[in-house]
């Protein structure tokens, strides 16, 4: 007999407090990556004549059942593949940490010039694995105390200095859409369905979409989907300007991303990195205050009765009724 969920207010309050532990996870993971993180000045050192950061070598991680992030080297580019297909590639703390480490090693590997991020299986990703982050919340952020990492969402101190091309397909929801927005060049298969539907669950999109989606798609386009929770297609994303190309199939999207990465890698690496650095100077100052406020905003929403109602409704399989408190 299937166990009936315990939905008492005490249980839900406990769940809320536990899930609120994701707040420091997201805040620390995206705005304070630790004292051992390479500072922006050091990242720019090769172009400014200062000491260069310690070089690394990105190690390959072959596909297997127990690997949540594959790493493949192909000449001057690397491929990173989310690999939790049984859970729609939801991103748990281990995967988030593996991605942060792989991006650091890529960024500091002098033999690599571009990276492609994609997903194994039917979907790119359903976003954050809330249950896994909730269970790990007692330990704090999955990146606290971890040296040599780059924020996978690419804001805060120590963002990437080399280009990332993303290839998405199938469901690309919530944090997955925010990873998509953090990429420098974006390719999607025609079957892609984007989503940023946290508001429909009494939650808040706290990984950067309130900043980047608005800036790139325009206020009305971004609010049309974030405020309603409606999903949108690859054609919609292309129309709004958040997507550069649409490929017919997931495999074609990945192949096109690899081709673009190889074309970028054939260019002068110092010119490419300076182009990214210059572009970041143009946008980071305006985005910084909004990114810095995400942690407090995220935490406030996760401690409300509306959030408890969202958890209750989802467990009961009914539409939530929110009261704004």
């Amino acid at each position: 007999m299937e166990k009936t969920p315990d939905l008492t207010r005490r249980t839900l309050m406990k769940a809320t407090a536990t899930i609120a532990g994701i707040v420091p996870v997201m805040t620390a993971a995206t705005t304070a990556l630790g004292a051992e993180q390479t500072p922006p000045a050091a990242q720019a050192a090769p172009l400014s004549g200062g000491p260069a950061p310690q070089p690394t070598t990105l190690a390959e991680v072959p596909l297997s059942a127990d690997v949540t992030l594959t790493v493949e080297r192909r000449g001057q580019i690397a491929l990173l593949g989310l690999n939790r297909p049984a859970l729609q590639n939801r991103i748990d703390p281990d995967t988030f940490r593996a991605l942060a480490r792989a991006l650091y090693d890529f960024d500091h590997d002098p033999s690599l010039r571009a990276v492609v991020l994609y997903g194994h299986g039917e979907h790119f990703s359903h976003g954050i694995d809330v249950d896994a982050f909730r269970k790990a919340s007692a330990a704090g952020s999955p990146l606290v105390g971890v040296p040599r990492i780059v924020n996978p969402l690419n804001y805060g101190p120590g963002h990437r200095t080399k280009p990332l091309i993303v290839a998405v397909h199938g469901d690309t929801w919530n944090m997955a859409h925010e990873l998509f927005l953090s990429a420098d060049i974006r390719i999607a298969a025609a079957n892609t369905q984007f989503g940023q539907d946290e508001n429909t669950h009494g939650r808040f999109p706290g990984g950067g979409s309130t900043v980047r989606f608005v800036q790139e798609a325009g206020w009305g386009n971004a609010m049309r989907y974030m405020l309603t929770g409606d999903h949108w297609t690859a054609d919609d994303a292309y129309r709004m300007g958040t997507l550069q190309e649409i490929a017919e199939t997931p495999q074609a999207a990945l192949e096109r991303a690899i081709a673009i990465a190889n074309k970028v890698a054939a260019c002068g690496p110092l010119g490419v990195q300076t182009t990214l650095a210059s572009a970041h100077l143009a946008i980071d100052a305006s985005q910084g205050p909004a990114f810095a406020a995400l942690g407090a905003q995220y935490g406030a929403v996760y401690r409300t009765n509306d959030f408890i109602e969202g958890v209750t409704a989802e467990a009961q399989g009914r539409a939530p009724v929110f009261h704004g408190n």
Side-chain angles (χ1 to χ4, degrees):
M1 181 175 178
E2 185 175 333
K3 185 178 179 180
T4 302
D6 182 354
L7 297 173
T8 65
R9 180 174 178 81
R10 181 177 179 182
T11 300
L12 289 168
M13 286 297 290
K14 183 178 181 181
T16 302
T18 310
I19 293 175
I22 298 172
V23 176
V25 169
M26 295 297 294
T27 305
T30 56
T31 61
L33 298 184
E36 296 180 86
Q37 175 65 44
T38 304
Q43 291 181 331
L47 302 184
S48 62
Q54 188 70 25
T56 61
T57 300
L58 178 65
E60 290 199 306
V61 181
L63 179 65
S64 69
D66 59 347
V67 166
T68 64
L69 182 76
T70 62
V71 180
E72 179 183 356
R73 299 177 64 104
R74 294 192 185 182
Q76 293 180 314
I77 73 169
L79 280 64
L80 307 179
L82 301 174
N83 187 44
R84 301 183 79 211
L87 294 172
Q88 298 78 41
N89 284 339
R90 287 181 172 89
I91 299 164
D92 65 346
D94 287 342
T95 307
F96 195 73
R97 185 163 43 243
L99 185 55
R101 285 170 166 162
L103 287 171
Y104 180 95
D105 286 345
F106 153 73
D107 213 45
H108 294 80
D109 187 329
S111 68
L112 295 173
R113 297 184 178 181
V115 66
V116 174
L117 178 64
Y118 69 104
H120 294 278
E122 295 183 11
H123 306 288
F124 176 65
S125 172
H126 277 198
I128 191 170
D129 186 335
V130 173
D131 288 339
F133 269 88
R134 182 178 62 213
K135 292 173 184 176
S137 63
S141 167
L143 303 185
V144 166
V146 180
R148 305 202 312 177
I149 52 177
V150 163
N151 172 18
L153 293 168
N154 205 41
Y155 64 83
H159 53 65
R160 283 182 286 100
T161 66
K162 297 179 185 178
L164 183 149
I165 298 90
V166 68
V168 300
H169 69 283
D171 296 341
T172 302
W173 298 351
N174 302 333
M175 181 192 274
H177 178 242
E178 291 167 327
L179 286 172
F180 167 84
L181 290 176
S182 76
D184 302 299
I185 302 172
R186 307 162 196 149
I187 313 298
N191 74 340
T192 305
Q193 288 287 320
F194 293 99
Q196 201 74 64
D197 60 14
E198 290 93 340
N199 285 177
T200 65
H201 302 288
R203 302 195 288 264
F204 164 69
S209 62
T210 53
V211 183
R212 291 187 173 120
F213 196 18
V214 171
Q215 185 174 60
E216 297 197 28
W219 183 278
N221 285 326
M223 295 304 161
R224 161 68 182 84
Y225 294 107
M226 287 194 294
L227 298 184
T228 64
D230 289 344
H231 291 186
W232 64 99
T233 66
D235 286 333
D236 293 325
Y238 185 79
R239 170 184 59 81
M240 291 186 289
T242 61
L243 175 64
Q244 280 64 68
E245 295 187 22
I246 301 174
E248 186 174 349
T249 66
Q251 183 60 35
L254 177 57
E255 290 173 357
R256 181 58 180 151
I258 292 170
I260 291 174
N262 279 317
K263 192 164 188 177
V264 171
C267 296
L270 296 183
V272 168
Q273 291 178 53
T274 306
T275 298
L276 287 175
S278 176
H280 274 291
L281 285 175
I283 65 172
D284 286 356
S286 63
Q287 292 181 345
F291 279 127
L294 284 177
Q297 293 170 326
Y298 200 78
V301 170
Y302 271 74
R303 292 176 174 86
T304 63
N305 288 325
D306 275 358
F307 173 73
I308 296 173
E309 168 61 12
V311 173
T312 307
E314 196 166 4
Q316 293 178 342
R318 62 170 175 81
V321 179
F322 298 120
H323 297 286
N325 57 46

